Amino acid sequence: MSRLRLLVILVPLCTAVGCADTAAPDRSFAGGPDATATAAVAPPVDWGAAASEVMRDVAHRAERSGAGARWLIAEYLDGVNVSYGYSSDFYTGAAGILFFLAKYYLEHPSEELAALIREGAQFVAAAAVDTSAAPAGLHVGLAGHGRMFLALDEAFPGEGWRDQARAIAARLPEGSTDLDVISGAAGEGLFLLELHAVDGDERWLRSAVARADRLLAAAVAEGAGAKWPLAIGSEYYYPGISHGTAGIGYFLARLAGALGDRGLAYRKGAVQAATWLAEIAVRRDGNLSWYRRQPDQTAEFQDQWCHGTGGIALFFVELWRLTGEARYLETAISAGETIMALGSHWSPCVCHGNAGNAGVMLALYRATGDEVWRERAEQLAGYAWAARQEVDGFLRWESGDATGAMNPSFMVGAAGIGYVFLLMAAPATRDAAGWEFV
């Protein structure tokens, strides 16, 4: 039940694809074009204008009614056939789309956009009323709704959106067996930390600590470090940030930073995660790489946010911020070099494509101050921009889920790409927390 999405359904929808445990066939870089295919593409001069093009199409595609605004999303029904429905979650649904629109509104406010955002929030709020059967996850459940409400609180302070986020935090179900960022304790904890950062209420920090304690209890020692299964009782161990040890380590590092001297146990847990990742890392043609999953996909390698070097690099940057130890930043830099050596990805999306890897380059730029990483972010975001298609006067992107659809969603569609364009418009300063799509 914990991987079910919060949905208003026309026909049944599947769980997340791309980086989900029940994904469509592997879409790793090996199956995509080589870097020379798009190397000559120049990024747009005005990234803000590029983000505006995304906003224009996403707003145009909203379906508005008395029940609020929603977006039609195409997904795999059974790994082959495509179905359509209305999701409220962050990964593919309205919450992620509204997160982008709220961030866009901060830069380009308008009454028309404000009205659309508020109508969309009405749809999401209605989907969160029954928590008895609702998943709690950051990308596929209630915590993702909460993250969206925090973005609306930033855009429209004093309108009660933070109260909505507080209500969700207070109602998050306890005891989920899922552990990961996408649908489990680590993702829930990241939302609680975000809420605590703006709210200051120690309840949310205590709730985050409770989830971290559950994670530490689930750690499995291997070598000198520790790894985590996808869920309690699962046989699968992912290294990456979406479903695996890097994502759990990322949350533990963030929590340790929030707790200061009280967070030493969580700092140790994050270091143990990094130690295991360092022990299983391999060099493939000189490039730092991690396999997709134990025990059955140790010969499959990916370089994206969800699986592989992209998301793992973000964890090592976060651990460097916490500890100040150069070795962690050096690992992140090596991972970034691997991404650039492999070049353009088959998908433009955030989860497992060029937009997400552009975000990794921005993280390295902010960590190092080295202009080369900003230039690399420009290059990868430029690949995402080059994948646009004009449809009926609007710019759209084929979704990063191989459905052939042009979804407006955040993690595998246009909204996330537009968010990266917003980040590119202010690469040194935008969104100190949460911008890495974790």
Side-chain angles (χ1 to χ4, degrees):
M1 181 64 72
S2 63
R3 279 187 180 75
L4 294 177
R5 293 230 182 111
L6 299 171
L7 299 172
V8 176
I9 302 176
L10 289 181
V11 289
L13 292 177
C14 69
T15 55
V17 300
C19 75
D21 188 39
T22 55
D26 179 41
R27 311 291 176 188
S28 64
F29 179 82
D34 66 38
T36 59
T38 48
V41 174
V45 173
D46 188 343
W47 288 108
S52 294
E53 290 290 348
V54 178
M55 183 283 300
R56 193 170 72 91
D57 178 58
V58 169
H60 171 74
R61 296 166 73 179
E63 298 180 15
R64 305 170 85 161
S65 70
R70 60 186 187 176
W71 285 263
L72 187 65
I73 303 295
E75 291 193 278
Y76 281 111
L77 180 62
D78 54 13
V80 178
N81 299 303
V82 175
S83 62
Y84 293 83
Y86 299 98
S87 167
S88 66
D89 71 25
F90 194 93
Y91 191 93
T92 60
I97 293 168
L98 291 163
F99 178 87
F100 160 62
L101 292 178
K103 295 292 187 178
Y104 181 89
Y105 177 87
L106 288 169
E107 303 296 321
H108 309 282
S110 72
E111 291 184 6
E112 182 178 359
L113 181 57
L116 174 60
I117 293 169
R118 293 182 180 110
E119 290 174 36
Q122 179 184 352
F123 168 75
V124 174
V129 294
D130 179 12
T131 59
S132 61
L138 182 62
H139 285 263
V140 294
L142 290 169
H145 292 180
R147 170 175 277 181
M148 179 212 74
F149 284 125
L150 288 178
L152 267 64
D153 176 63
E154 184 183 16
F156 310 113
E159 291 191 5
W161 301 113
R162 192 182 303 181
D163 289 338
Q164 297 263 34
R166 292 182 183 120
I168 284 175
R171 292 155 45 211
L172 284 177
E174 295 285 349
S176 168
T177 60
D178 291 342
L179 304 177
D180 61 345
V181 162
I182 294 289
S183 60
E188 296 164 33
L190 287 170
F191 159 60
L192 290 164
L193 287 178
E194 291 173 19
L195 178 57
H196 176 261
V198 299
D199 201 46
D201 191 324
E202 288 294 307
R203 285 184 298 167
W204 318 132
L205 196 56
R206 289 194 296 270
S207 292
V209 165
R211 284 159 173 81
D213 288 342
R214 199 159 77 238
L215 288 168
L216 292 183
V220 176
E222 184 168 285
K227 63 182 182 179
W228 278 263
L230 172 67
I232 300 297
S234 174
E235 66 178 307
Y236 298 121
Y237 293 84
Y238 290 87
I241 207 162
S242 64
H243 288 304
T245 293
I248 290 167
Y250 181 92
F251 162 57
L252 293 174
R254 291 282 291 271
L255 177 61
L259 290 168
D261 292 342
R262 296 179 292 160
L264 295 181
Y266 311 112
R267 175 181 172 133
K268 179 180 178 181
V271 168
Q272 288 178 317
T275 301
W276 180 71
L277 289 167
E279 288 178 347
I280 66 167
V282 298
R283 290 278 178 179
R284 301 172 66 242
D285 298 324
N287 298 315
L288 186 66
S289 302
W290 285 269
Y291 53 71
R292 190 175 192 270
R293 184 174 76 187
Q294 288 182 349
D296 59 332
Q297 295 177 346
T298 57
E300 298 180 26
F301 296 85
Q302 293 173 246
D303 68 313
Q304 305 107 328
W305 175 87
C306 53
H307 298 295
T309 49
I312 291 172
L314 293 176
F315 164 51
F316 277 100
V317 168
E318 192 65 33
L319 190 56
W320 167 76
R321 288 181 184 138
L322 175 68
T323 65
E325 294 187 29
R327 57 181 173 146
Y328 298 130
L329 184 57
E330 290 165 1
T331 299
I333 288 171
S334 293
E337 297 286 0
T338 293
I339 291 170
M340 295 311 299
L342 293 175
S344 179
H345 199 270
W346 72 274
S347 167
C349 77
V350 164
C351 182
H352 41 274
N354 287 317
N357 281 347
V360 177
M361 299 301 118
L362 286 179
L364 290 168
Y365 170 55
R366 294 176 184 178
T368 65
D370 190 336
E371 281 290 314
V372 71
W373 295 109
R374 184 192 60 77
E375 293 166 1
R376 290 170 172 180
E378 293 266 354
Q379 183 177 347
L380 293 176
Y383 294 153
W385 173 249
R388 68 195 184 277
Q389 300 178 45
E390 185 170 346
V391 179
D392 297 329
F394 293 92
L395 297 186
R396 294 180 180 174
W397 282 260
E398 185 173 332
S399 300
D401 54 14
T403 60
M406 293 185 174
N407 282 334
S409 59
F410 192 92
M411 291 302 290
V412 293
I417 295 169
Y419 186 48
V420 171
F421 294 163
L422 281 178
L423 299 177
M424 293 302 306
T429 59
R430 184 83 74 207
D431 280 354
W435 69 271
E436 299 99 335
F437 326 111
V438 176

